[in-house]
Each structure stands twice: as C-alpha cells, then as structure tokens.
Amino acid sequence: MLRITDARTGEPVDAVPARRGLTRVEAHVPGYDASALRVLLVADLLVRALEIGGTPVWALLTGERGQAELHAGAAALGIRPFEDRRDVGPGWGESQAVHVVGENGAAPDGVRVAVAPVGTPDLPPDADPAAVRLALLTPPRSTPAQLDETALTDAHDTLARWRRAVAAWARHPSRPVPDEVRGRLRTAWEDDLDVPEVLRVLRRVEESDLPEGARFETYAYADRLLGLDLTRDLGSPA
C-alpha cells in the first residue's frame, strides 16, 4: 500500500483510498521553469506508482502561465500527459485527491506532496532529457536538486552504463525478478515514493551475482516507475 507524507501535517497517509476508487493527482505550478518540471516529474512518479498497484488515476495540471512550455518540457522528460485543469470538470467516481506542489506552494484541501526546488532554474539547452530526468530523480524530493555539469554528467554516465548492461543481459535466458528484490523495490516506492532507495537497489543488483536474465527483468520492472527507457538499446550490437 502506497503511503505518502502529507506536507500539511508531516504525517504519512494512504495514497490509495480504501475502496480503490479513482484518485486525482493534480500538479500545481505557477509557471514554466526547472522547479515546475520537477513538480510534474514527482506527480508522474506518483501516477506510475498508483497504476502499478492497480489504482485508476486522473492526472491534472494547474498552471498559472506557460502551459504550452510546461507540456512540451514535460513531454521531453518522458512525463506522461497531464490534462489542463481549466479544461475539465469534476471527476466521476473520484474518491481521493493528491496535490503535488513546490515548497510552500498553494493547493486546495487534500493530501499535499511538497517538492523542493531545482537550484538551476533553466534547463541546459543541450542536456540529454533522460539524464535530466535521472538527475532530478536522484536526490530525495525534499532536497533541492541541481542540474549542474557534475550532476548531469553522472546521470548521463549511469544511464549509458545501465542501458548497455540491460541490452547485454537481455541476450541471456529470462529469469523472474527475485522475490526479495521485487519486495525491496516495492517497499521503497510505496514508502513515500523513496526513489533514491529504488536507485540504490538497482546499483546493488548491477553488482550482484544474480543471473543476467533476472537482472534484466529487475531493471525492466523498476523502469515502469522510473521511466528512464532502460531497455532502449535492446538489439543493438554487442
């Protein structure tokens, strides 16, 4: 069961309603910048985690300005489309709302997920979007993120290494994700969307002696949450 820290109270609450009805995930941003994209990214992770658990989700975006830029920037980072709040009415059968906001951001009543800002307000124009996504995922969402050269280089190198490894592991017979590893991944993202712990589990799997096929399936499974396109290089020359 996914539990999330409500920024209003500092207490963990169930992100999934007891009767598992429609959950509205609404991202609130004042305009377009890197911090707004991080809010949207956290909302995207929340949507993915809920859907993996079988909860129907309605994803909305409330922005004061720069809607076109927000949608374009989100798409570049692999964030799935959010509907504009002004274009839709109440959700039929909705049983819970979770609002994702920047630190000290305003939102209606309901569970509130706060996201720390990005220290660099502008995205580097030549940055690999997948590396930007990983750089924003690496620190806890309560910690300011950086998109400086060091962070982006580390993210780019990690992605390249993981994609090569996943492509190589895919050439071996498939093996199921070990129950212990699957449990660690689910425990991490169901505990307040602890993505840094998900990444640590993947690093341990990378360095483990698990069968190659099991490592491939583990990375493919985790990527349902992370959205890093880790299987992109399947079929590429060794």
Side-chain angles (χ1 to χ4, degrees):
M1 176 74 72
L2 175 61
R3 289 176 65 77
I4 203 85
T5 299
D6 188 342
R8 300 171 304 166
T9 64
E11 297 295 327
V13 297
D14 290 340
V16 180
R19 56 190 176 92
R20 203 175 283 276
L22 177 69
T23 293
R24 171 163 50 96
V25 174
E26 188 166 349
H28 299 262
V29 294
Y32 174 77
D33 62 10
S35 293
L37 289 177
R38 192 183 191 199
V39 170
L40 276 170
L41 178 56
V42 171
D44 180 57
L45 292 172
L46 180 57
V47 170
R48 289 168 180 263
L50 288 167
E51 289 180 343
I52 290 171
T55 299
V57 185
W58 187 28
L60 294 174
L61 167 62
T62 296
E64 297 175 10
R65 59 187 182 277
Q67 299 291 99
E69 292 86 351
L70 282 165
H71 285 293
L77 295 186
I79 296 169
R80 289 179 293 180
F82 280 59
E83 296 182 67
D84 287 330
R85 185 67 177 91
R86 65 176 181 269
D87 295 338
V88 297
W92 182 83
E94 178 182 309
S95 60
Q96 174 137 300
V98 181
H99 302 279
V100 185
V101 300
E103 282 187 345
N104 304 316
D109 289 340
V111 179
R112 190 173 302 174
V113 178
V115 182
V118 178
T120 44
D122 299 319
L123 295 179
D126 57 347
D128 175 7
V132 172
R133 184 178 178 104
L134 180 54
L136 293 176
L137 290 176
T138 298
R141 69 170 184 275
S142 59
T143 302
Q146 300 295 331
L147 293 177
D148 55 22
E149 183 177 356
T150 298
L152 290 173
T153 298
D154 287 348
H156 180 274
D157 292 348
T158 297
L159 272 178
R161 187 179 74 251
W162 281 357
R163 286 170 171 171
R164 285 195 304 269
V166 167
W169 296 333
R171 300 185 185 100
H172 295 264
S174 179
R175 296 287 186 272
V177 181
D179 289 342
E180 180 184 4
V181 174
R182 184 185 296 269
R184 288 177 181 173
L185 290 169
R186 289 296 291 263
T187 296
W189 75 59
E190 291 182 352
D191 180 14
D192 202 27
L193 282 179
D194 189 356
V195 176
E197 178 59 21
V198 172
L199 297 174
R200 284 190 288 270
V201 172
L202 292 184
R203 292 187 183 98
R204 289 194 289 269
V205 168
E206 179 185 17
E207 298 168 357
S208 73
D209 58 358
L210 288 173
E212 288 83 353
R215 283 186 276 180
F216 167 78
E217 295 294 348
T218 297
Y219 272 63
Y221 175 66
D223 205 36
R224 294 173 61 190
L225 176 81
L226 298 175
L228 294 171
D229 202 10
L230 296 177
T231 60
R232 188 194 68 178
D233 293 343
L234 263 63
S236 61

